[in-house]
Amino acid sequence: MKRKIIAYNFELTEALEKLNEQFEVQVFDCINPKTDPVFKQALKNAEGIVGLALPVDKELLDQAPNLKIVSNNSTGYNNLSIEEMTKRGVMGTNTPGVLEDTTADAIFGILLASARRIAELDHFVKSGNWKGHLTTAEYAIDVHHKTLGIIGMGKIGSAIAKRANLGFDMKILYHNRNRNLQAEEKYNASYCDLDTLLKESDFVCLMTPLTPETENLMGEREFKLMKKSAIFVNGSRGRTVNETALIQALRNKEIHGAALDVYQIEPIKLDNPLLQLPNVVTTPHIGSSTYETELKMAELAVENLLAGLTGKRPKNLINPEVLN
């Protein structure tokens, strides 16, 4: 009898085929893991889970006595209760080093879309409102030679800085837990405190991981420090921003606009005021969502899972202490 695996929100057939050769794989998409009876039954015998954004907490672990590894198909792993998993001898893995360039493309893309009003003016053309010469009401703002402030200069932040500095001659300010000397040397980035970055940047790009320290990092005070002409870009996690404060800042014209790929609640609810504001560009958490990148991540997630289930140390083990 084949050992049992759960694939959760894990759609790429090529990656699943490799698992199907060795294991019995049950696939679950768009279900509620807290209530779905078939999923809960599958947990009883599952030795491994591979997928995206499954909350692995004490409640789930209580229902999965045979679980050996959870292979997250993402760089982030705030959905995993690592301490609880380690107590039970369950390995956790992620897929770093794959999505940096793709995500940087997407985040810099929505920055450009916001500054040049691309989505708004696309609608303007398709609605038949383009009658002749544009007026000042349709004008946008420049990106080149402006100042970009990046909060969180990790690998993705550095990739955004590269595009901004080398491609658009932008001045780079950054705030980070630690100095990034490589970004300073390569992209002429200047380290500064958060308040200075907010006050001096024409674009503020938030790229921090979600931690207790970064939750609601951007709130009323922070938006008031920004230039009235500035655009706020969020490519981190929705909960790093106080959305109520952001909405007020946009409505009160305390900032010029926003470009958002992440939200406090995902999918974003249709009654969210952000969807009614013309100076907000919204995308559905598309950071790594190209076929090429998603396939590379899925293949790495499968590689991690197979290693953990065949007695090897997974390449991207988050909790190595579990091996002790």
Side-chain angles (χ1 to χ4, degrees), residues 193-202 204 217-230 249 254-255:
D193 61 74
L194 180 59
D195 285 6
T196 299
L197 182 149
L198 295 171
K199 291 174 184 176
E200 297 185 6
S201 298
D202 299 300
V204 172
L217 178 64
M218 291 295 295
E220 181 179 358
R221 173 186 172 276
E222 287 71 29
F223 289 120
K224 286 183 182 298
L225 286 174
M226 289 174 59
K227 296 179 180 180
K228 290 186 180 298
S229 59
E254 292 168 2
I255 60 174

Side-chain angles (χ1 to χ4, degrees), residues 156-320:
I156 301 174
S158 295
I160 293 169
K162 176 182 179 180
R163 285 152 177 73
N165 180 248
L166 302 182
F168 289 80
D169 293 308
M170 297 181 81
K171 176 183 176 181
I172 307 297
L173 300 178
Y174 79 97
H175 180 71
N176 204 46
R177 285 179 296 180
N178 303 300
R179 295 278 293 272
N180 187 328
L181 299 180
Q182 189 176 47
E184 292 180 17
E185 181 181 351
K186 286 187 172 183
Y187 314 126
N188 200 27
S190 298
Y191 179 81
C192 63
D193 61 74
L194 180 59
D195 285 6
T196 299
L197 182 149
L198 295 171
K199 291 174 184 176
E200 297 185 6
S201 298
D202 299 300
F203 300 88
V204 172
C205 185
L206 183 58
M207 296 305 303
T208 61
L210 177 62
T211 67
E213 292 74 30
T214 62
E215 188 164 5
N216 288 320
L217 178 64
M218 291 295 295
E220 181 179 358
R221 173 186 172 276
E222 287 71 29
F223 289 120
K224 286 183 182 298
L225 286 174
M226 289 174 59
K227 296 179 180 180
K228 290 186 180 298
S229 59
I231 289 175
F232 173 69
V233 183
N234 191 8
S236 59
R237 289 291 184 268
R239 285 163 51 198
T240 56
V241 177
N242 181 324
E243 272 189 11
T244 301
L246 173 60
I247 292 164
Q248 286 302 111
L250 290 162
R251 282 175 169 169
N252 297 338
K253 302 191 184 306
E254 292 168 2
I255 60 174
H256 181 76
L260 309 172
D261 189 43
V262 291
Y263 313 89
Q264 284 189 347
I265 297 175
E266 296 184 4
I268 189 170
K269 295 187 178 297
L270 290 178
D271 61 355
N272 191 313
L274 289 168
L275 299 183
Q276 311 305 320
L277 297 170
N279 56 340
V280 179
V281 170
T282 55
T283 49
H285 205 146
I286 61 167
S288 63
S289 297
T290 66
Y291 191 86
E292 299 94 327
T293 295
E294 292 291 346
L295 181 57
K296 287 177 185 176
M297 290 172 64
E299 289 173 339
L300 181 53
V302 167
E303 180 185 326
N304 286 330
L305 185 77
L306 290 175
L309 291 174
T310 54
K312 300 174 184 176
R313 179 188 174 114
K315 180 179 179 181
N316 304 110
L317 184 60
I318 299 164
N319 55 341

Side-chain angles (χ1 to χ4, degrees), residues 2 33 111 116-117 123 146 164 201 210 214 243 267 269:
K2 286 185 176 181
L111 182 154
R116 296 308 307 264
R117 300 172 63 185
H123 181 71
K146 294 289 183 69
S201 298
L210 177 62
T214 62
E243 272 189 11
K269 295 187 178 297

